[in-house]
Every structure is written in C-alpha cells, then in structure tokens.
Amino acid sequence: NAGVTQTPKFRILKIGQSMTLQCTQDMNHNYMYWYRQDPGMGLKLIYYSVGAGITDKGEVPNGYNVSRSTTEDFPLRLELAAPSQTSVYFCASSSRGAAYEQYFGPGTRLTVT
Amino acid sequence: QKEVEQNSGPLSVPEGAIASLNCTYSDRGSQSFFWYRQYSGKSPELIMFIYSNGDKEDGRFTAQLNKASQYVSLLIRDSQPSDSATYLCAVLNSGGYQKVTFGIGTKLQVIP
C-alpha cells in the first residue's frame, strides 16, 4: 500500500495562476480531507469529502475548489492564486471519519509570488 | 470559533526523562481527542487518541483527559532523541461532523 500520495511535492506559482493539487489514496477510505499548514499556525481544514460525489466546506474554503468523482482521488483546485495561499497543503484520509485516525499524505509545499 | 491552545515551546528534556505536553480546548461538547507527532518537514502521524476521562497508556505514551477542565495532556516516559518532534493536539468539533481543530503544536527537544 502506498497510502496517501500527493503531487507535486513543490510548486511555485505566480499571482493569478491556477493549479490542481492531486491526492490519491489506495486504502479504500471513504473520508478524505484537505488541510493547509502555515508557520506558527495549526492545520486548517479547507474541504472534506465523506464519499464519492459528496464534498463540503471546512474552516478556510475561500479560493479553493474540490471534486470527488472516485473513492481514490480528491483533487484540490486553486483558482487565481494569491500570496495568502502560500502554505504547505496536506491531504488526509480515514476509514471511519474524523473521530478516528486520519492518514496524511507527504504534503505539497506551494509558494505564490 | 473553536480553539485548541498549546504552548509552542520548545520544551527541552534530557534523554530518559518524562516529557509532559499540555493542551486546552474551548469546545465543551468535544468527545474525541488526538495527539499527532510531526517531524520537521514531514506529515503528521497519529500516536494517541482518547475519548474518555482519565488515562490511556500505549507503550511509553500516556494520554490524559479531563473534560471538566477541558484539558488534554501527553506524557512521554523515558524520552529518546528520536522523540524530538512537534506534537499536535487535535479535537473533534462537537457541531462539525468531520471538523477537527488542531493546535499549533509543541516542539519537543530531547537532549542526549
């Protein structure tokens, strides 16, 4: 099992550009999450999904979009990148939801300049 | 706004000592509490979870929960240099079905 994989590992974007952060899990987990982690701040939930076709906003969804067409994949879309979106982004999955263990991917370090 | 408070540290302890990490939370209805360990430049990994008041032990780790005081702690016995990492306290929000609030983490340094 590869667990949760994320691509790319690093990316530099110019202001106004768009990109998609990829997240794939091979554990057949229904629950998937996107977090961002800024220096000196806790992980913040951006979006989550409880199964294919079902997504909902987290704490900081503005500037992002998600889709969940399959159980395995949960891409995060950034439209019109802004410097405030410079962060490390983590994808996570869980077999039984946030009341139980979440398995995190290795992260994507994004810089917007 | 649900909050989880942790001292950012660093907390320095000598090898073999007990490290005590603390966390307070604001959501009185919370039922699930987690401790994640995050090495520098890596992703978080779960080391303990606790749902009931009292202590839960797993090897060298003990999680303690006091819901009346809204307080969670993590004790690491016989601390090793490999325990040097940032420890994130996380609390499942009572009203948000899938929403977990994380603290900023406490950086632990175990000195050989």
Side-chain angles (χ1 to χ4, degrees):
Chain A
N1 276 357
V4 181
T5 57
Q6 293 182 239
T7 58
K9 285 187 170 52
F10 304 94
R11 182 71 185 269
I12 297 175
L13 275 184
K14 294 190 185 305
I15 294 171
Q17 288 185 322
S18 301
M19 74 164 295
T20 299
L21 281 66
Q22 301 291 345
C23 174
T24 300
Q25 53 90 11
D26 63 359
M27 298 175 282
N28 201 34
H29 287 173
N30 282 325
Y31 300 87
M32 296 188 73
Y33 310 85
W34 274 106
Y35 293 93
R36 59 178 288 172
Q37 186 175 39
D38 302 320
M41 306 285 286
L43 289 155
K44 302 291 186 186
L45 181 65
I46 305 171
Y47 271 95
Y48 68 92
S49 170
V50 301
I54 306 169
T55 63
D56 205 351
K57 295 177 180 178
E59 187 180 355
V60 289
N62 291 345
Y64 307 94
N65 276 302
V66 294
S67 59
R68 184 95 182 270
S69 56
T70 67
T71 299
E72 295 78 21
D73 299 307
F74 190 39
L76 177 72
R77 178 82 177 161
L78 278 71
E79 304 283 0
L80 298 174
S84 61
Q85 293 178 304
T86 294
S87 190
V88 179
Y89 291 84
F90 289 103
C91 178
S93 73
S94 175
S95 61
R96 294 189 288 170
Y100 304 91
E101 180 172 8
Q102 294 185 47
Y103 296 85
F104 285 81
T108 294
R109 185 175 295 274
L110 175 68
T111 302
V112 182
T113 61
Chain B
Q1 181 79 7
K2 302 187 196 308
E3 296 181 343
V4 175
E5 303 283 346
Q6 292 183 263
N7 189 319
S8 61
L11 173 67
S12 295
V13 299
E15 183 174 355
I18 296 175
S20 178
L21 305 162
N22 304 312
C23 168
T24 60
Y25 61 93
S26 64
D27 185 353
R28 188 168 287 280
S30 298
Q31 298 293 325
S32 302
F33 307 87
F34 309 89
W35 284 100
Y36 283 84
R37 178 176 61 199
Q38 187 174 25
Y39 292 112
S40 180
K42 302 296 185 182
S43 56
E45 58 177 333
L46 184 72
I47 53 171
M48 291 287 287
F49 64 87
I50 186 166
Y51 303 135
S52 304
N53 271 335
D55 295 359
K56 180 182 179 182
E57 186 174 318
D58 184 1
R60 296 186 296 113
F61 299 96
T62 299
Q64 299 175 316
L65 173 61
N66 183 326
K67 290 185 179 178
S69 300
Q70 296 176 239
Y71 178 90
V72 192
S73 64
L74 179 70
L75 300 178
I76 305 175
R77 288 182 300 281
D78 187 26
S79 295
Q80 301 297 309
S82 58
D83 295 326
S84 298
T86 296
Y87 290 80
L88 309 176
C89 176
V91 177
L92 178 67
N93 293 358
S94 59
Y97 176 44
Q98 292 297 321
K99 297 178 183 176
V100 172
T101 299
F102 285 80
I104 63 173
T106 297
K107 185 172 184 177
L108 173 66
Q109 295 176 337
V110 181
I111 312 300

